[in-house]
């Protein structure tokens, strides 16, 4: 009995020791949590809604930039340049819950000098609850942190290098990085040029809400979808890197002999003129120089409009007629003069007086291929300055529509491989490749096949 009692006492004491140890560990962890919370609270420099600020002031010495929120836009009060809206919001976001990585203790003159906090970058942000100020000194030797002080705090802190580099004053970070200050609907004209000669001129008429090319291209149909696609991309692009400000040595990036020029005019009467240069060392990029001397780096592909011509913005296929709306086709080609009377409602085609049924698959496909080849002219380029005569056409196709109207197409030799295209006796400004007449899937091939079906 005595032994059992002694064992029980030992167990109770052991349990008591375990409980005591547990309580001691728990109290230790609670103190650690309290200490960690205290440190976290001390290191939490600012806390506010990142979308609430109405004013930001960046300064370093005599250089000061005051930025105010006007509606939903950040505006530099001096009006010197347009602000980068994304950068302004990023600054507010970083600032709104800025927490230090390290606390270096009480501020002393010695520490201020040691950490570069005597001549600082300063950023002040005003939100409904007041104005908050952060002073940014040197970067740490290893480039991990920036040393800072915050208003209302008597200690020196270190914040992450990334946050510090965003919050430090950098004039180029402040500037709007968009190529153009317009939306698609704010543009009235886009002019591209090379070697001082205009290579492209797109004009918008706000009354008709249509894009057009200069009058010399009036015989060609403009492709509005292609224009809006290219310009939509143009108004959205931003620079990859901000380079020199107020560039004076134009030869530095090759702007003394630019690759191309771009002028964009706005409906508000403003315009932006850009010089574009290329660099053999960076073939995927180009450098754009603005009128104010700002040089910026862009992807070359984003500025492809400099290489485009009116040909890229027209409907490149001239269609003379639709077979469903055509009752007769007279074709002079390759020494033959044939007349095709067409009756698609009854699946018939009369060739030089001989009726051909086109109600079976083989005959219909042969007829369809032939008609498309004779009525669709895929332009391979433009030659607006040419003044060709409608003389000795290689091919002539005259279509009579169901309503009695006619359309006449002529092809006239341009050189050994191309032919000028005329419509109703007038030069269209474009030419086709000779392969549209000769070779596989050409008019010759489909013309011969259908004439064989017709017995000629």
């Amino acid at each position: 009995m005595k032994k059992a009692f002694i064992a029980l006492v030992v167990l109770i004491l052991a349990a008591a020791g375990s409980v005591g140890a547990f309580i001691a560990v728990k109290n230790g962890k609670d103190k650690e949590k309290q200490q960690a919370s205290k440190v976290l609270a001390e290191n939490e420099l600012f806390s506010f809604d990142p979308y609430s600020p109405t004013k930001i002031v960046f300064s370093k010495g005599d250089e000061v930039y005051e930025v105010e929120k006007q509606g939903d836009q950040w505006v530099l009060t001096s009006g010197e340049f347009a602000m980068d809206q994304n950068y302004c919001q990023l600054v507010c976001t970083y600032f709104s819950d800025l927490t230090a990585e390290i606390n270096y203790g009480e501020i002393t003159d010695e520490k201020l000098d040691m950490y570069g906090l005597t001549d600082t970058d300063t950023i002040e942000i005003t939100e409904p609850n007041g104005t908050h100020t952060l002073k940014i000194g040197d970067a740490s030797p290893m480039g991990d942190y920036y040393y800072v002080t915050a208003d209302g705090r008597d200690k020196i802190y270190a914040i992450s290098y990334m946050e510090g580099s965003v919050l430090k004053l950098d004039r180029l970070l402040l500037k709007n990085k968009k190529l153009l200050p317009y939306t698609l609907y704010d543009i009235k004209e886009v002019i591209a040029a090379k070697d001082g000669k205009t290579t492209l001129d797109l004009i918008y008429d706000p009354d008709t809400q249509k894009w057009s090319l200069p009058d010399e291209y009036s015989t060609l149909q403009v492709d509005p979808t292609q224009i809006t696609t290219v310009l939509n991309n143009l108004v959205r692009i931003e620079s990859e890197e901000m380079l020199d400000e107020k560039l004076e040595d134009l030869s530095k990036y090759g702007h003394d002999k630019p690759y191309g020029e771009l002028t964009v005019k706005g409906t508000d009467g403003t315009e932006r003129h850009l010089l574009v240069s290329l660099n053999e060392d960076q073939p995927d990029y180009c450098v754009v120089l603005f009128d104010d001397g700002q040089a910026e780096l862009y992807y070359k592909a984003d500025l492809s409009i400099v290489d485009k011509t009116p040909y890229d913005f027209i409907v490149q296929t001239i269609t003379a007629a639709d077979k469903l709306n055509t009752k007769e086709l007279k074709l002079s080609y390759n020494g033959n003069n044939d007349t095709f009377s067409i009756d698609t409602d009854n699946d018939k085609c009369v060739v030089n007086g001989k009726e051909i049924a086109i109600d079976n698959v083989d005959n219909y496909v042969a007829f369809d291929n032939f008609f498309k080849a004779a009525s669709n002219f895929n332009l391979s380029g433009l030659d607006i300055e040419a003044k060709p005569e409608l003389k000795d056409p290689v091919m002539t196709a005259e279509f009579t529509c169901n309503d009695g109207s006619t359309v006449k197409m002529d092809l006239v030799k341009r050189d050994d491989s191309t032919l000028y295209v005329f419509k109703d006796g007038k030069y269209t400004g474009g030419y086709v490749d000779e392969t549209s007449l000769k070779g596989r899937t050409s008019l010759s091939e489909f013309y011969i096949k259908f004439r064989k079906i017709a017995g000629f």
Side-chain angles (χ1 to χ4, degrees):
M1 184 68 180
K2 184 177 180 181
K3 288 183 178 180
F5 177 75
I6 291 172
L8 179 60
V9 170
V10 170
L11 287 172
I12 291 172
L13 290 174
S18 298
V19 171
F22 171 76
I23 292 172
V25 170
K26 182 178 183 303
N27 287 338
K29 288 186 176 181
D30 286 345
K31 286 181 180 179
E32 287 179 8
K33 288 181 179 179
Q34 290 172 1
Q35 184 65 26
S37 296
K38 182 179 179 181
V39 170
L40 184 62
E42 288 182 353
N43 287 5
E44 187 181 75
L45 304 182
F46 307 107
S47 180
F48 56 82
D49 179 354
Y51 296 97
S52 65
T54 55
K55 183 178 179 180
I56 310 173
V57 179
F58 304 88
S59 62
K60 184 175 178 63
D62 295 333
E63 190 176 6
V64 180
Y65 300 94
E66 185 177 288
V67 186
E68 293 184 345
K69 193 73 171 288
Q70 296 182 6
D72 60 353
Q73 295 289 306
W74 288 100
V75 178
L76 187 65
T77 55
S78 69
E80 182 183 0
F81 53 78
M83 292 296 298
D84 185 324
Q85 302 298 313
N86 292 331
Y87 173 68
C88 290
Q89 185 54 56
L90 182 62
V91 165
C92 293
T93 299
Y94 275 13
F95 210 97
S96 67
D97 62 353
L98 189 62
T99 300
E101 304 279 338
I102 303 173
N103 183 329
Y104 289 96
E106 301 290 333
I107 295 174
T108 65
D109 291 341
E110 183 181 0
K111 287 181 180 179
L112 291 176
D113 186 59
M114 181 188 304
Y115 297 123
L117 288 161
T118 54
D119 181 19
T120 65
D121 292 68
T122 302
I123 178 171
E124 302 173 34
I125 292 188
T126 300
E127 49 96 14
N129 293 322
T131 298
H132 311 286
T133 304
L134 184 75
K135 295 183 180 295
I136 307 170
D138 292 341
S140 64
M142 298 299 292
D144 299 324
Y145 308 107
Y146 269 102
Y147 305 115
V148 302
T149 59
D151 63 330
R153 302 299 183 95
D154 60 358
K155 294 180 174 60
I156 292 176
Y157 302 91
I159 62 174
S160 75
Y161 185 87
M162 181 178 67
E163 291 172 322
S165 61
V166 168
L167 298 174
K168 275 178 67 71
L169 173 59
D170 185 333
R171 178 182 167 94
L172 293 183
L173 287 179
L174 300 179
K175 297 181 76 171
N176 191 318
K177 295 160 189 64
K178 292 187 69 175
L179 179 75
L180 299 173
Y182 311 114
T183 69
L184 176 63
Y185 307 102
D186 298 325
I187 297 176
K188 74 171 185 179
E189 189 172 10
V190 178
I191 304 170
K194 286 188 177 182
D195 299 322
K197 182 180 179 180
T198 297
T199 54
L200 177 68
D201 190 356
L202 299 173
I203 306 156
Y204 182 71
D205 184 342
D207 293 331
T208 62
Q209 297 185 348
K210 292 182 179 180
W211 286 94
S212 65
L213 292 162
D215 290 343
E216 56 265 38
Y217 298 92
S218 60
T219 58
L220 300 164
Q221 183 181 351
V222 172
D223 184 348
T225 301
Q226 184 63 19
I227 294 176
T228 54
T229 297
V230 171
L231 296 187
N232 242 333
N233 292 333
L234 194 67
V235 298
R236 296 183 183 196
I237 63 173
E238 296 186 353
S239 66
E240 296 301 309
E241 184 179 347
M242 303 291 277
L243 303 175
D244 298 44
E245 276 194 305
K246 304 186 185 306
L247 181 69
E248 295 182 358
D249 180 8
L250 297 186
S251 65
K252 181 175 182 179
Y253 299 109
H255 293 107
D256 55 331
K257 297 177 181 178
Y259 176 74
E261 300 177 51
L262 190 66
T263 301
V264 182
K265 299 181 180 181
T267 54
D268 59 359
T270 63
E271 66 178 66
R272 177 160 285 190
H273 180 247
L274 314 170
L275 294 181
V276 181
S277 70
L278 305 182
N279 188 324
E280 291 182 358
D281 297 331
Q282 292 182 297
D284 294 331
Y285 295 91
C286 64
V287 178
V288 175
L289 180 64
F290 296 81
D291 283 335
D292 62 0
Q294 175 69 56
E296 301 177 6
L297 189 70
Y298 288 84
Y299 281 115
K300 181 184 175 183
D302 286 341
L303 272 296
S304 62
I305 191 170
V306 175
D307 292 314
K308 293 189 180 298
T309 66
Y311 175 75
D312 297 296
F313 298 103
I314 62 166
V315 177
Q316 295 173 2
T317 298
I318 297 177
T319 300
D322 182 333
K323 67 177 181 292
L324 297 178
N325 191 40
T326 302
K327 65 180 181 180
E328 185 178 80
L329 163 60
K330 291 181 178 180
L331 181 65
S332 297
Y333 175 61
N334 206 22
N336 298 307
N337 294 288
D338 297 322
T339 299
F340 303 83
S341 298
I342 302 166
D343 183 2
T344 54
D345 289 339
N346 295 300
D347 297 323
K348 292 179 182 179
C349 179
V350 177
V351 183
N352 298 335
K354 184 176 181 180
E355 185 176 307
I356 305 296
I358 53 175
D359 56 352
N360 64 69
V361 173
D362 290 340
N363 286 5
Y364 180 82
V365 169
F367 166 73
D368 186 57
N369 287 337
F370 158 68
F371 190 91
K372 286 179 179 176
S375 61
N376 291 290
F377 301 85
N378 298 317
L379 300 180
S380 53
L382 301 180
D383 189 357
I384 293 296
E385 295 180 358
K387 306 294 181 184
E389 293 183 39
L390 179 49
K391 184 179 179 181
D392 301 324
V394 174
M395 185 220 75
T396 297
E398 185 171 355
F399 301 83
T400 301
C401 301
N402 292 334
D403 62 4
S405 61
T406 61
V407 178
K408 185 180 180 184
M409 304 297 298
D410 292 282
L411 299 182
V412 175
K413 196 171 183 64
R414 176 174 179 258
D415 54 35
D416 290 340
S417 60
T418 58
L419 305 108
Y420 292 115
V421 180
F422 286 78
K423 184 176 182 179
D424 291 331
K426 185 177 181 181
Y427 174 49
T428 62
Y431 56 87
V432 296
D433 194 271
E434 194 175 41
T435 56
S436 63
L437 289 183
K438 298 178 181 179
R440 188 166 178 77
T441 68
S442 67
L443 176 61
S444 291
E445 178 181 353
F446 296 131
Y447 185 30
I448 291 171
K449 285 182 178 180
F450 190 62
R451 289 183 93 250
K452 282 184 177 179
I453 290 174
F456 294 97

